[in-house]
Amino acid sequence: MDALRTLIFAALAAISCGTTAAQTFPVDPQPSSVVKGSVSAASQEELMARLRRWVALTFDRSDVIDMADDKRGTMVLKWSAPLPQSSKWLNAVLTETCVIDIRPNGRYRLQVFSPRISFGFTEAASLFDEMGLANPEAEADMRLVNGLAQRMYGGSLEWPVDEQLDQIVAAYLEQLNSTQQFRNERDRERGRATDEYRTAEHQWRILHDVRNGAESYNTSLVQSLSRALNTSDDF
């Protein structure tokens, strides 16, 4: 089964993120990544038809097409997809803008603009918070994302996928590696890690998984688009 279809866009409709921040990041005029390719023995008209078919079969919503100009051979997509991560109290969603250009000579280009991750809290976590009930796990995960939001992103829960996020993930990995994993040899034999290590691992895992998920989504996007443009609809 196509990984892009089954994994990435199965739940393309935006997920409710609970608490949201007023600040948002505008689309950066410079692409974060550019991929180019070519298709032999195919006209611009045929490639645009294959592109539209790919969109229809890949995405669960037709309104991901923000703009399409068949004459110029350009299509702009705006899409979102849920990101898996290790916290059952958090939601994470990847959002980005893609510009796909098709040329009469069979060349194409995919540009990705402003990939960003939006964090929110599950209904269960919000309910505990509203009722004033103690939930240490949810509170710890909330502190993680809220703390980073305040320190690094001006209070926003929408984070650009860029070098700064890579540095944050690397810093939490360094913290994990410097944390004592076992108190003694007996605990090591039993696989009983310290509370401090399990906390550090959980925090790193949340951040690593969303960053890795964003990269995996775009790898799948490139591969799926290439297959679609190189596959004729003739039968």
Side-chain angles (χ1 to χ4, degrees):
M1 299 176 67
D2 190 282
L4 190 67
R5 174 69 176 174
T6 59
L7 176 61
I8 299 178
F9 300 115
L12 186 64
I15 293 178
S16 174
C17 284
T19 304
T20 57
Q23 178 179 345
T24 59
F25 293 88
V27 173
D28 191 326
Q30 298 299 319
S32 64
S33 64
V34 179
V35 177
K36 299 179 181 180
S38 62
V39 181
S40 60
S43 66
Q44 184 182 43
E45 181 181 8
E46 170 63 19
L47 289 180
M48 286 300 294
R50 294 180 190 180
L51 177 58
R52 286 185 176 277
R53 177 181 173 86
W54 173 74
V55 171
L57 294 176
T58 299
F59 295 88
D60 286 344
R61 284 170 28 203
S62 60
D63 62 355
V64 298
I65 299 179
D66 187 62
M67 185 274 284
D69 187 331
D70 288 354
K71 185 176 182 180
R72 292 176 60 90
T74 297
M75 182 178 290
V76 179
L77 307 177
K78 293 182 181 292
W79 63 271
S80 302
L83 287 165
Q85 42 75 39
S86 60
S87 172
K88 63 182 179 181
W89 308 108
L90 298 176
N91 289 324
V93 174
L94 173 68
T95 302
E96 64 186 20
T97 298
C98 295
V99 178
I100 304 170
D101 295 300
I102 305 290
R103 293 297 173 254
N105 60 4
R107 296 190 60 81
Y108 66 89
R109 179 182 64 184
L110 166 65
Q111 298 180 88
V112 177
F113 292 84
S114 299
R116 52 205 181 275
I117 297 170
S118 299
F119 282 97
F121 309 117
T122 64
E123 292 184 5
S126 299
L127 182 61
F128 273 102
D129 188 51
E130 292 172 3
M131 299 179 65
L133 300 176
N135 188 335
E137 288 184 0
E139 291 167 5
D141 292 349
M142 288 177 168
R143 283 196 302 271
L144 172 66
V145 296
N146 279 327
L148 285 170
Q150 293 296 328
R151 293 193 302 272
M152 308 299 295
Y153 298 104
S156 176
L157 294 179
E158 184 180 84
W159 303 355
V161 181
D162 56 13
E163 291 183 0
Q164 178 168 276
L165 181 57
D166 291 340
Q167 293 169 359
I168 291 172
V169 175
Y172 274 81
L173 178 59
E174 183 177 349
Q175 173 181 288
L176 172 63
N177 291 334
S178 64
T179 301
Q180 182 180 2
Q181 185 172 4
F182 303 106
R183 298 196 184 280
N184 50 53
E185 193 61 32
R186 185 177 182 182
D187 283 351
R188 182 186 300 276
E189 292 173 355
R190 294 182 175 183
R192 183 182 297 172
T194 63
D195 291 342
E196 294 80 7
Y197 185 87
R198 286 188 284 109
T199 296
E201 183 179 37
H202 179 63
Q203 292 178 337
W204 169 76
R205 180 62 63 184
I206 290 173
L207 301 171
H208 167 271
D209 286 357
V210 295
R211 178 62 186 92
N212 188 64
E215 183 176 352
S216 296
Y217 280 9
N218 280 290
T219 298
S220 295
L221 184 77
V222 171
Q223 294 173 345
S224 178
L225 176 62
S226 177
R227 287 195 300 270
L229 292 181
N230 281 277
T231 301
S232 174
D233 293 336
D234 294 337
F235 63 91

